[in-house]
Amino acid sequence: MPAALDELRARSDAQAGLDWSGGRVEISPTTLVSSRGLHLDLTGGHFAFDPSLDLDVDLGWWSIDRFEVMASGTMDAELGLRLASDGDYELVDRSVPLWESPRYAWYGWIGPVPVVVVSRMQLDATVSVSTHGPSSVSVSAGTGSSVRIGAIYEDGWELVGEHEFTFRHRGPEFVLDTELDARVALDGTLKVELYGVVGPQLQLSPWARLDADAMGRWSADVGVDGRMGGAISLPWYDDISLDAELFAWSERLAEGQL
Protein backbone atom coordinates (compact mmCIF):
# COMPACT_ATOMS: atom_id res chain seq x y z
CA MET A 1 0.00 0.00 0.00
CA PRO A 2 1.28 3.50 -0.75
CA ALA A 3 2.31 5.53 2.27
CA ALA A 4 2.25 9.33 2.54
CA LEU A 5 4.58 11.81 4.12
CA ASP A 6 1.76 13.97 5.42
CA GLU A 7 2.02 17.73 5.83
CA LEU A 8 5.73 17.90 6.43
CA ARG A 9 6.44 21.61 6.41
CA ALA A 10 9.86 23.17 6.63
CA ARG A 11 10.82 26.78 7.11
CA SER A 12 13.99 28.01 5.42
CA ASP A 13 15.42 30.97 7.37
CA ALA A 14 18.32 32.41 5.41
CA GLN A 15 21.32 33.18 7.61
CA ALA A 16 23.93 35.05 5.64
CA GLY A 17 27.59 35.45 6.24
CA LEU A 18 27.17 38.93 4.77
CA ASP A 19 24.33 40.47 6.75
CA TRP A 20 21.11 38.58 7.42
CA SER A 21 17.80 38.80 9.23
CA GLY A 22 14.65 36.68 8.91
CA GLY A 23 15.21 35.22 5.46
CA ARG A 24 16.80 38.38 4.01
CA VAL A 25 20.39 38.54 2.79
CA GLU A 26 21.81 42.06 2.65
CA ILE A 27 24.53 42.42 0.00
CA SER A 28 27.32 44.82 0.79
CA PRO A 29 29.50 46.24 -2.02
CA THR A 30 31.06 43.20 -3.72
CA THR A 31 33.45 42.89 -6.67
CA LEU A 32 32.19 40.29 -9.13
CA VAL A 33 34.80 40.80 -11.86
CA SER A 34 38.17 42.52 -11.75
CA SER A 35 40.33 41.56 -14.71
CA ARG A 36 42.79 43.98 -16.26
CA GLY A 37 40.61 46.89 -17.41
CA LEU A 38 37.22 45.27 -16.74
CA HIS A 39 35.52 45.87 -13.39
CA LEU A 40 31.99 44.85 -12.40
CA ASP A 41 30.71 45.49 -8.89
CA LEU A 42 27.55 44.91 -6.93
CA THR A 43 27.16 48.28 -5.21
CA GLY A 44 24.56 46.87 -2.82
CA GLY A 45 21.22 45.13 -2.71
CA HIS A 46 19.42 42.24 -1.08
CA PHE A 47 17.75 38.89 -1.70
CA ALA A 48 14.82 37.88 0.50
CA PHE A 49 12.97 34.57 0.31
CA ASP A 50 11.63 32.85 3.43
CA PRO A 51 9.38 30.10 2.06
CA SER A 52 7.25 27.41 3.59
CA LEU A 53 8.25 24.08 2.06
CA ASP A 54 5.62 21.39 1.49
CA LEU A 55 6.64 17.79 0.72
CA ASP A 56 4.45 14.79 0.01
CA VAL A 57 5.46 11.27 -1.08
CA ASP A 58 3.31 8.25 -1.99
CA LEU A 59 5.22 4.99 -2.49
CA GLY A 60 4.24 1.86 -4.43
CA TRP A 61 6.07 -1.46 -4.13
CA TRP A 62 9.15 -0.43 -6.14
CA SER A 63 8.31 3.00 -7.47
CA ILE A 64 7.47 6.50 -6.32
CA ASP A 65 3.79 6.84 -7.28
CA ARG A 66 3.50 10.51 -6.35
CA PHE A 67 5.93 13.19 -5.24
CA GLU A 68 5.24 16.86 -4.52
CA VAL A 69 7.60 19.64 -3.53
CA MET A 70 6.27 23.18 -3.24
CA ALA A 71 7.82 26.39 -1.88
CA SER A 72 5.51 29.33 -1.12
CA GLY A 73 6.42 32.77 0.15
CA THR A 74 7.40 36.30 -0.80
CA MET A 75 10.53 36.95 -2.81
CA ASP A 76 12.05 40.42 -2.99
CA ALA A 77 15.38 41.32 -4.54
CA GLU A 78 17.37 44.42 -5.44
CA LEU A 79 20.80 44.80 -6.96
CA GLY A 80 22.93 47.80 -7.78
CA LEU A 81 25.49 47.41 -10.55
CA ARG A 82 28.53 49.44 -11.60
CA LEU A 83 30.52 48.47 -14.69
CA ALA A 84 33.73 50.05 -16.00
CA SER A 85 35.72 48.90 -19.03
CA ASP A 86 38.70 50.25 -20.98
CA GLY A 87 38.49 47.94 -23.99
CA ASP A 88 37.19 44.70 -25.48
CA TYR A 89 36.19 42.02 -22.98
CA GLU A 90 33.79 39.11 -22.91
CA LEU A 91 32.62 36.83 -20.10
CA VAL A 92 29.83 34.27 -20.43
CA ASP A 93 27.89 32.93 -17.42
CA ARG A 94 30.64 33.25 -14.82
CA SER A 95 29.29 32.04 -11.45
CA VAL A 96 30.35 33.83 -8.26
CA PRO A 97 29.33 32.26 -4.91
CA LEU A 98 28.01 34.83 -2.43
CA TRP A 99 26.54 32.96 0.54
CA GLU A 100 25.15 29.66 1.82
CA SER A 101 22.92 29.01 4.81
CA PRO A 102 23.43 26.36 7.46
CA ARG A 103 21.65 23.04 6.91
CA TYR A 104 18.24 22.69 8.56
CA ALA A 105 16.86 19.22 9.35
CA TRP A 106 13.30 18.00 9.91
CA TYR A 107 12.02 14.51 10.70
CA GLY A 108 8.98 12.69 9.35
CA TRP A 109 7.70 9.28 8.29
CA ILE A 110 6.97 7.44 5.06
CA GLY A 111 4.70 4.71 6.40
CA PRO A 112 6.74 3.00 9.16
CA VAL A 113 10.06 4.34 7.81
CA PRO A 114 11.56 7.48 9.41
CA VAL A 115 12.95 10.07 6.99
CA VAL A 116 15.27 13.02 7.58
CA VAL A 117 14.67 16.05 5.35
CA VAL A 118 17.47 18.60 5.12
CA SER A 119 17.15 21.99 3.40
CA ARG A 120 19.49 24.91 2.84
CA MET A 121 19.58 28.12 0.81
CA GLN A 122 22.42 29.19 -1.48
CA LEU A 123 22.97 32.55 -3.18
CA ASP A 124 25.24 33.01 -6.21
CA ALA A 125 25.70 35.65 -8.88
CA THR A 126 25.89 34.75 -12.58
CA VAL A 127 27.66 37.32 -14.77
CA SER A 128 27.79 37.80 -18.54
CA VAL A 129 29.57 40.86 -19.98
CA SER A 130 30.58 41.99 -23.46
CA THR A 131 32.26 45.37 -24.01
CA HIS A 132 33.89 46.90 -27.09
CA GLY A 133 35.79 49.92 -25.88
CA PRO A 134 35.78 52.39 -22.97
CA SER A 135 32.52 52.50 -21.03
CA SER A 136 31.06 53.17 -17.61
CA VAL A 137 27.52 52.51 -16.42
CA SER A 138 25.60 52.13 -13.17
CA VAL A 139 22.03 51.06 -12.46
CA SER A 140 19.88 49.82 -9.59
CA ALA A 141 16.87 47.56 -10.13
CA GLY A 142 14.56 45.53 -7.94
CA THR A 143 11.50 43.30 -8.07
CA GLY A 144 9.19 41.47 -5.71
CA SER A 145 6.15 39.18 -5.56
CA SER A 146 4.48 36.41 -3.68
CA VAL A 147 5.48 33.16 -5.39
CA ARG A 148 4.49 29.51 -5.38
CA ILE A 149 6.96 27.29 -7.19
CA GLY A 150 7.51 23.56 -7.40
CA ALA A 151 6.33 20.43 -9.14
CA ILE A 152 4.09 17.39 -8.70
CA TYR A 153 5.03 13.97 -10.07
CA GLU A 154 2.20 11.55 -10.81
CA ASP A 155 2.50 9.68 -14.14
CA GLY A 156 4.56 12.66 -15.34
CA TRP A 157 5.50 16.09 -14.06
CA GLU A 158 3.14 19.02 -13.43
CA LEU A 159 5.08 22.28 -13.03
CA VAL A 160 3.97 25.18 -10.82
CA GLY A 161 5.34 28.72 -11.22
CA GLU A 162 2.87 31.28 -9.84
CA HIS A 163 3.93 34.93 -9.43
CA GLU A 164 2.89 38.59 -9.91
CA PHE A 165 6.18 40.45 -10.14
CA THR A 166 6.49 44.23 -10.30
CA PHE A 167 9.70 46.22 -10.74
CA ARG A 168 11.46 49.37 -9.56
CA HIS A 169 14.69 51.03 -10.70
CA ARG A 170 17.10 53.96 -10.49
CA GLY A 171 19.21 55.03 -13.47
CA PRO A 172 20.91 53.91 -15.58
CA GLU A 173 23.71 56.47 -15.79
CA PHE A 174 26.11 56.11 -18.75
CA VAL A 175 29.49 57.30 -19.87
CA LEU A 176 29.69 55.31 -23.08
CA ASP A 177 31.65 55.47 -26.32
CA THR A 178 30.95 51.99 -27.67
CA GLU A 179 28.81 48.84 -27.52
CA LEU A 180 27.96 47.19 -24.22
CA ASP A 181 25.95 44.18 -23.07
CA ALA A 182 25.95 43.17 -19.40
CA ARG A 183 23.67 40.82 -17.46
CA VAL A 184 23.86 39.93 -13.75
CA ALA A 185 21.57 37.46 -11.98
CA LEU A 186 21.21 36.60 -8.30
CA ASP A 187 20.56 32.85 -8.16
CA GLY A 188 18.73 31.90 -4.98
CA THR A 189 18.58 28.10 -4.74
CA LEU A 190 16.60 26.08 -2.18
CA LYS A 191 18.16 22.61 -1.92
CA VAL A 192 16.31 19.66 -0.36
CA GLU A 193 17.88 16.34 0.67
CA LEU A 194 16.14 13.09 1.66
CA TYR A 195 18.15 10.48 3.57
CA GLY A 196 21.24 12.65 3.11
CA VAL A 197 21.03 12.30 -0.69
CA VAL A 198 20.80 15.38 -2.93
CA GLY A 199 17.19 15.84 -4.00
CA PRO A 200 15.08 18.50 -5.71
CA GLN A 201 16.36 22.07 -6.09
CA LEU A 202 14.13 25.12 -6.55
CA GLN A 203 15.76 28.26 -7.94
CA LEU A 204 14.64 31.89 -8.23
CA SER A 205 16.98 34.12 -10.27
CA PRO A 206 16.20 37.86 -10.37
CA TRP A 207 18.38 39.61 -12.97
CA ALA A 208 19.18 42.96 -14.53
CA ARG A 209 20.54 43.62 -18.01
CA LEU A 210 22.02 46.67 -19.75
CA ASP A 211 22.51 46.91 -23.49
CA ALA A 212 23.87 49.71 -25.69
CA ASP A 213 24.83 49.68 -29.36
CA ALA A 214 27.35 51.62 -31.42
CA MET A 215 24.66 54.15 -32.42
CA GLY A 216 24.07 55.16 -28.80
CA ARG A 217 20.75 53.37 -28.38
CA TRP A 218 20.45 51.80 -24.94
CA SER A 219 17.99 49.72 -22.93
CA ALA A 220 17.70 48.34 -19.40
CA ASP A 221 15.66 45.28 -18.45
CA VAL A 222 14.82 43.35 -15.29
CA GLY A 223 13.43 39.86 -14.90
CA VAL A 224 13.09 36.74 -12.78
CA ASP A 225 13.59 33.13 -13.91
CA GLY A 226 12.27 30.15 -11.96
CA ARG A 227 13.67 26.63 -12.37
CA MET A 228 13.48 23.22 -10.75
CA GLY A 229 16.14 20.54 -11.05
CA GLY A 230 17.64 17.58 -9.27
CA ALA A 231 16.44 14.06 -8.60
CA ILE A 232 14.36 12.22 -6.02
CA SER A 233 16.23 9.17 -4.81
CA LEU A 234 14.91 6.88 -2.07
CA PRO A 235 16.41 3.52 -0.98
CA TRP A 236 14.98 0.55 -2.92
CA TYR A 237 12.92 2.79 -5.27
CA ASP A 238 13.46 3.94 -8.85
CA ASP A 239 14.79 7.50 -9.12
CA ILE A 240 12.81 10.28 -10.78
CA SER A 241 14.48 13.46 -12.02
CA LEU A 242 13.60 16.84 -13.49
CA ASP A 243 15.37 19.83 -15.03
CA ALA A 244 12.81 22.37 -16.22
CA GLU A 245 11.95 26.05 -16.42
CA LEU A 246 9.02 26.98 -14.18
CA PHE A 247 8.62 30.52 -15.52
CA ALA A 248 10.52 33.40 -17.15
CA TRP A 249 9.30 36.96 -16.48
CA SER A 250 10.89 40.20 -17.72
CA GLU A 251 10.09 43.89 -18.17
CA ARG A 252 11.74 46.81 -19.95
CA LEU A 253 12.84 49.32 -17.31
CA ALA A 254 13.87 52.10 -19.65
CA GLU A 255 15.37 52.84 -23.05
CA GLY A 256 16.74 55.85 -24.85
CA GLN A 257 19.37 57.49 -27.02
CA LEU A 258 22.71 58.77 -25.73
Side-chain angles (χ1 to χ4, degrees):
M1 294 289 293
L5 180 63
D6 293 322
E7 298 182 354
L8 175 60
R9 297 177 182 271
R11 193 108 179 128
S12 174
D13 295 321
Q15 296 192 6
L18 302 176
D19 184 18
W20 66 273
S21 177
R24 180 182 174 106
V25 182
E26 295 290 346
I27 303 171
S28 57
T30 303
T31 297
L32 299 178
V33 178
S34 181
S35 176
R36 295 177 290 173
L38 177 64
H39 300 276
L40 178 62
D41 300 310
L42 284 175
T43 57
H46 65 262
F47 180 89
F49 187 46
D50 187 15
S52 61
L53 176 64
D54 295 346
L55 297 175
D56 185 73
V57 183
D58 289 343
L59 300 179
W61 284 107
W62 300 108
S63 64
I64 300 174
D65 290 343
R66 186 180 187 278
F67 180 86
E68 177 179 344
V69 57
M70 205 69 60
S72 304
T74 298
M75 193 219 78
D76 191 87
E78 185 158 336
L79 63 161
L81 302 176
R82 180 174 58 238
L83 172 68
S85 169
D86 67 0
D88 295 355
Y89 299 96
E90 185 170 11
L91 294 173
V92 179
D93 290 343
R94 173 180 288 186
S95 182
V96 181
L98 298 177
W99 164 84
E100 188 172 76
S101 79
R103 294 156 59 92
Y104 299 91
W106 293 266
Y107 303 89
W109 297 83
I110 300 178
V113 181
V115 58
V116 179
V117 181
V118 176
S119 69
R120 57 192 171 99
M121 285 288 294
Q122 178 177 316
L123 185 63
D124 303 288
T126 300
V127 179
S128 294
V129 178
S130 177
T131 64
H132 299 281
S135 57
S136 175
V137 61
S138 61
V139 67
S140 177
T143 185
S145 174
S146 59
V147 297
R148 181 171 177 263
I149 59 172
I152 301 169
Y153 177 83
E154 191 170 13
D155 296 325
W157 285 102
E158 176 188 346
L159 305 179
V160 178
E162 300 173 3
H163 62 87
E164 296 179 349
F165 283 104
T166 57
F167 67 86
R168 54 193 183 272
H169 74 100
R170 294 189 299 274
E173 299 176 358
F174 287 98
V175 176
L176 187 65
D177 297 323
T178 185
E179 297 174 67
L180 165 73
D181 187 2
R183 185 183 189 275
V184 176
L186 294 178
D187 302 319
T189 305
L190 175 61
K191 299 181 177 182
V192 180
E193 299 177 1
L194 301 175
Y195 293 106
V197 178
V198 174
Q201 300 182 6
L202 298 169
Q203 185 177 81
L204 289 172
S205 298
W207 55 265
R209 179 175 181 176
L210 297 167
D211 181 76
D213 64 20
M215 303 300 294
R217 294 183 293 263
W218 64 268
S219 61
D221 299 272
V222 67
V224 182
D225 297 334
R227 294 195 64 84
M228 178 175 169
I232 296 88
S233 179
L234 296 174
W236 307 296
Y237 290 90
D238 295 335
D239 294 351
I240 54 176
S241 62
L242 176 67
D243 183 10
E245 180 181 86
L246 301 177
F247 67 87
W249 169 86
S250 64
E251 289 285 345
R252 176 61 49 90
L253 295 177
E255 59 186 355
Q257 179 78 40
L258 294 174

